[in-house]
Amino acid sequence: SQKIEQNSEALNIQEGKTATLTCNYTNYSPAYLQWYRQDPGRGPVFLLLIRENEKEKRKERLKVTFDTTLKQSLFHITASQPADSATYLCALDTLDSNYQLIWGAGTKLIIKP
Amino acid sequence: GAGVSQTPSNKVTEKGKYVELRCDPISGHTALYWYRQSLGQGPEFLIYFQGTGAADDSGLPNDRFFAVRPEGSVSTLKIQRTERGDSAVYLCASSLSPGPYEQYFGPGTRLTVT
């Protein structure tokens, strides 16, 4: 079956280190992939979008990579801060999904001071 | 400018009742999406509108769920004969257009069916 996998266990990172989150997918041909941040009790907030023909995208301390051979996207936060603590969600739009985003369950990131 | 707003923020209803959830998208956004999110899960797609028409309603779980967007702006998600399994956070999002554009989410409506 088609699915998107994100690490369900919380990721604990020391402040100042780089946090790396993983999004794996199976049986999709993604046209693009998006990463969102979600804080408790709030809706997701868009962070980055990367297209299938792009290998890497950066925005300030954030970096996303997209490997369509491995069927994987990595999301990096450099110089992490306690304020980066949140749940991070990845979402795919495939070539045949009619603009419907398919979401992972998210990974909870905890940055310890 | 104002973001996406949703009302009510919380709704508690009894099993079997009818509920309406409202979404006010960002002005000028033609695409509007409804999702449902359970604890520890990602958003689950329900339906999306392009303008006034439902472009894809394949995520609606059954015919108790219905959504409208009569003037291409505000949308209402309607749930008939609510069941306890309908309890979740219902999220609305809008984007400039369907496709590779970021979606702007509202804060959600937490629905609890007792």
Side-chain angles (χ1 to χ4, degrees):
Chain A
S1 63
Q2 301 177 331
K3 58 182 180 179
I4 299 174
E5 290 184 344
Q6 293 186 256
N7 195 333
S8 58
E9 293 183 9
L11 181 63
N12 287 274
I13 299 291
Q14 195 66 38
E15 181 179 7
K17 301 293 186 184
T18 296
T20 298
L21 306 175
T22 304
C23 176
N24 294 301
Y25 59 92
T26 59
N27 300 330
Y28 288 121
S29 297
Y32 57 91
L33 184 148
Q34 301 187 34
W35 283 88
Y36 286 76
R37 167 187 174 138
Q38 187 171 26
D39 292 283
R42 299 189 172 227
V45 174
F46 172 81
L47 297 173
L48 282 167
L49 180 152
I50 187 165
R51 298 174 188 267
E52 60 172 334
N53 60 351
E54 297 176 315
K55 296 294 185 186
E56 182 179 297
K57 207 77 169 283
R58 291 175 185 262
K59 179 183 175 183
E60 297 173 352
R61 295 185 295 111
L62 309 181
K63 184 178 84 171
V64 171
T65 63
F66 197 7
D67 189 326
T68 55
T69 301
L70 290 178
K71 296 186 181 294
Q72 180 180 80
S73 175
L74 298 178
F75 176 80
H76 307 271
I77 305 175
T78 58
S80 58
Q81 305 165 1
D84 295 327
S85 299
T87 295
Y88 291 84
L89 299 156
C90 71
L92 296 181
D93 184 341
T94 68
L95 295 176
D96 57 0
S97 68
N98 193 25
Y99 303 126
Q100 182 189 131
L101 282 180
I102 303 162
W103 295 77
T107 297
K108 185 174 183 179
L109 175 65
I110 301 168
I111 306 298
K112 297 183 175 180
Chain B
V4 177
S5 62
Q6 292 186 247
T7 54
S9 55
N10 280 284
K11 176 71 177 178
V12 180
T13 191
E14 292 180 349
K15 179 176 177 294
K17 299 291 188 183
Y18 168 83
V19 296
E20 289 189 353
L21 312 179
R22 177 188 167 106
C23 172
D24 271 283
I26 292 173
S27 177
H29 281 192
T30 63
L32 184 147
Y33 305 81
W34 282 100
Y35 296 92
R36 179 167 69 175
Q37 187 174 30
S38 299
L39 193 63
Q41 300 298 315
E44 173 194 3
F45 171 80
L46 296 177
I47 184 171
Y48 100 86
F49 290 86
Q50 171 61 11
T52 60
D56 184 349
D57 64 357
S58 63
L60 294 177
N62 51 59
D63 61 6
R64 295 187 298 105
F65 289 75
F66 189 71
V68 295
R69 195 186 184 197
E71 298 178 356
S73 179
V74 171
S75 175
T76 304
L77 178 66
K78 308 180 181 192
I79 310 174
Q80 299 178 323
R81 304 183 303 281
T82 52
E83 299 177 356
R84 293 194 180 88
D86 299 334
S87 297
V89 175
Y90 288 80
L91 294 166
C92 173
S94 69
S95 67
L96 200 59
S97 174
Y101 298 99
E102 63 182 282
Q103 295 187 13
Y104 295 81
F105 281 80
T109 293
R110 180 175 297 279
L111 176 66
T112 304
V113 182
T114 61

